[in-house]
């Protein structure tokens, strides 16, 4: 089975994490985000994936290579300019089979793709959309279904008065190749706004999935995805690594502190005396944590250096960042790659600090 994954968005809402790294390869727990999608696809028999890239495509290719590590043949297609979701899949047309999966590349899920494909075949559909129930459908594609599972209406980003169901499109479609005939070549086109509405009544079906589903487009959702992997609320290989104890401290880490599950500590980490890591903390490889520092509900990326007596709570610290002694980072703050924060600062309230920024000692407390 073949899949095309759209990874051409700029990931603006995840900045500054995506200021230096393309969104698909932003690390999540212990592997690049897109690895979760590849592992999920592999479990459902997909062995051929076309990556539809835009922004920083070489960065994606450098990390994922030819896919051998995932047991998948990976090919890359780069649009000359962003063509939108419809334009992007049309641009990849020459590589696509008679039937293929199309996936938004920013979703963490363990939805049953095999059952979706089976329903697609049984119904003779031209397109079958995976659907999932969410509390607030306004940021998604709302889907109204008929009793026979055919789509009655597809409404991208519905306004509040249009919301009368909680079912949204999960960004995973089974498509017959002839659907591409509805998309003009070489032009920007949104499959959600321009193609799905035209397929309503003409072979568009919905598959109501269950299981875990999350669009990881914002720092809050990135943290939620991290916690759900650590808590094993979603079926992932990374979660399985934590085992029954919900804890993985790499043998190559040196700790004089305490680790409280669920937590993951990567190779080469050094944790000082009296420090407390967890619950719900990830230290990527080569992170250094000073004595008595507490880190909970947070992600600290590769090579970051956190001083002594710090407190990190519900935050993301970018690769190679440095945090001085006694500094607090909390409340959804995100520090970009290589940021340097002096001692005695308080970074909170959703602050986002961009790569290249250096803050002196005692500069902020908001
Ligand atoms: N190659 C390419 N080119 N990819 C693109 C482009 C483009 O021009 N534009 C967006 N993408 C990719 C993004 O990287 C992302 O993986 C996917 O297409 C969807 O784009 P988003 O920008 O994340 O859309 P959204 O989250 O607002 O809405 C979409 O996803 C929802 C589910 O998460 C829609 O498909 C909704 O209908 C759906 O409910
Ligand atoms: Mg999205």
């Amino acid at each position: 089975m073949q899949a095309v994954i759209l990874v051409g968005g700029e990931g603006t809402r995840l900045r500054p994490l995506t200021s230096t790294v393309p969104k698909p390869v932003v690390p999540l727990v212990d592997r690049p985000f897109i690895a979760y999608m590849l592992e999920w696809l592999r479990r459902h028999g997909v062995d051929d994936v076309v990556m539809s890239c835009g922004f920083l495509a070489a960065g994606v290719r450098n990390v994922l290579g030819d896919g051998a590590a995932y047991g998948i043949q990976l090919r890359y297609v780069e649009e000359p300019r962003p063509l939108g979701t419809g334009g992007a899949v049309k641009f990849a047309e020459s590589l696509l089979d008679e039937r293929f999966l199309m996936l938004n590349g920013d979703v963490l899920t363990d939805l049953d793709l095999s059952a979706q494909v089976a329903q697609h075949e049984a119904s003779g559909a031209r397109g079958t959309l995976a659907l999932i129930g969410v509390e607030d459908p306004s940021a998604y594609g709302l889907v109204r279904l008929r009793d026979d599972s055919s789509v009655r209406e597809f409404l991208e980003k519905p306004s509040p008065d249009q919301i009368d169901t909680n079912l949204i499109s999960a960004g995973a479609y089974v498509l017959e190749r002839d659907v591409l005939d509805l998309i003009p070549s070489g032009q920007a086109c949104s499959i959600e706004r321009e193609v799905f509405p035209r397929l309503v009544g003409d072979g568009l079906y919905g598959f109501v999935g269950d299981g875990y589903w999350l669009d990881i487009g914002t720092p809050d959702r990135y943290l939620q995805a991290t916690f759900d992997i650590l808590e094993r609320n979603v079926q992932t290989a990374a979660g399985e690594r934590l085992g029954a104890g919900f804890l993985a401290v790499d043998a190559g880490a040196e700790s004089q502190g305490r680790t409280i599950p669920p937590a993951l500590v990567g190779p080469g980490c050094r944790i000082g005396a009296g420090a407390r890591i967890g619950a719900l903390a990830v230290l990527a490889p080569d992170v250094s944590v000073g004595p008595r520092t507490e880190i909970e509900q947070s992600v600290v990326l590769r090579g970051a250096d956190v001083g002594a007596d710090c407190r990190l709570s519900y935050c993301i610290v970018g690769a190679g960042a440095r945090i001085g002694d006694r500094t607090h980072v909390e409340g959804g703050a995100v520090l970009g790659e290589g940021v340097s924060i002096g001692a005695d600062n308080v970074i909170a309230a959703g602050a986002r600090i961009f790569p290249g920024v250096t803050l002196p000692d005692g500069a902020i407390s908001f």
Side-chain angles (χ1 to χ4, degrees):
M1 184 87 192
Q2 184 184 50
V4 53
I5 309 183
L6 297 196
V7 292
E10 287 186 35
T12 43
R13 290 171 303 171
L14 254 189
R15 283 182 191 155
L17 283 183
T18 46
S19 300
T20 46
V21 179
K23 182 160 150 183
V25 292
V26 165
L28 182 63
V29 183
D30 64 350
R31 57 200 75 198
F33 165 67
I34 201 78
Y36 293 86
M37 291 200 77
L38 296 175
E39 288 160 3
W40 166 60
L41 290 169
R42 191 71 201 94
R43 286 203 297 277
H44 291 284
V46 173
D47 54 4
D48 176 13
V49 169
V50 177
M51 292 287 224
S52 164
C53 304
F55 184 66
L56 299 177
V60 180
R61 197 193 304 253
N62 287 345
V63 175
L64 300 180
D66 65 1
Y70 302 97
I72 284 177
Q73 170 185 219
L74 267 183
R75 288 175 289 174
Y76 300 82
V77 174
E78 264 179 66
E79 303 142 63
R81 63 193 166 88
L83 290 173
T85 48
V89 70
K90 181 74 174 177
F91 190 74
E93 185 170 18
S94 65
L95 300 182
L96 298 178
D97 294 345
E98 277 309 310
R99 175 179 296 155
F100 57 90
L101 294 160
M102 174 172 169
L103 305 151
N104 288 347
D106 58 355
V107 167
L108 176 67
T109 182
D110 53 17
L111 203 128
D112 190 349
L113 277 177
S114 305
Q116 182 182 351
V117 173
Q119 182 195 302
H120 178 85
E121 267 188 41
S123 66
R126 295 173 74 193
T128 301
L129 315 176
L131 308 179
I132 202 95
V134 296
E135 246 166 60
D136 177 12
S138 59
Y140 305 104
L142 180 105
V143 179
R144 299 197 178 108
L145 276 190
R146 294 198 180 85
D147 290 342
D148 67 351
S149 295
S150 63
V151 173
R152 187 159 59 82
E153 197 164 11
F154 188 102
L155 266 177
E156 184 64 18
K157 311 283 187 284
S159 56
D161 56 305
Q162 292 174 312
I163 297 172
D164 56 4
T165 165
N166 68 344
L167 280 187
I168 60 132
S169 164
Y173 329 123
V174 189
L175 297 178
E176 295 299 306
R177 190 185 163 85
D178 72 0
V179 168
L180 300 177
D181 298 342
L182 300 174
I183 306 175
S185 294
Q187 253 171 260
C189 168
S190 157
I191 199 162
E192 297 89 342
R193 294 180 192 276
E194 296 167 55
V195 179
F196 293 154
R198 285 175 62 194
L199 274 178
V200 169
D202 197 11
L204 190 64
Y205 286 77
F207 165 79
V208 182
D210 53 12
Y212 183 91
W213 184 88
L214 188 72
D215 174 324
I216 66 141
T218 65
D220 281 328
R221 301 242 195 84
Y222 173 88
L223 284 170
Q224 188 62 53
T226 303
F227 304 157
D228 285 329
I229 292 165
L230 294 177
E231 301 261 33
R232 301 178 65 182
N233 293 334
V234 49
Q235 192 200 341
T236 65
E240 280 157 25
R241 246 192 84 190
L242 299 177
F246 291 79
L247 184 65
V249 179
D250 193 275
E254 273 174 42
S255 178
Q256 296 176 274
R258 260 202 303 158
T259 322
I260 300 162
L264 181 135
V265 175
C269 287
R270 290 185 312 280
I271 300 171
R276 204 178 69 193
I277 310 300
L280 296 173
V282 171
L283 304 187
D286 303 320
V287 166
S288 146
V289 176
R292 297 171 304 280
T293 283
E294 297 181 356
I295 303 181
E296 50 138 29
Q297 294 193 56
S298 296
V299 176
V300 184
L301 295 176
R302 186 181 286 269
D305 187 328
V306 185
D309 299 297
C310 293
R311 182 163 165 74
L312 272 52
S313 175
Y314 198 69
C315 69
I316 306 168
V317 176
R322 310 187 81 77
I323 298 176
D325 296 346
R326 295 174 302 282
T327 283
H328 289 201
V329 187
E330 57 202 29
V334 187
L335 310 189
E337 186 169 339
V339 158
S340 179
I341 310 285
D344 300 301
N345 282 291
V346 178
I347 314 287
R352 297 188 186 199
I353 311 221
F354 280 73
V357 171
T358 298
L359 282 182
D361 293 350
I364 330 186
S365 55
F366 63 86

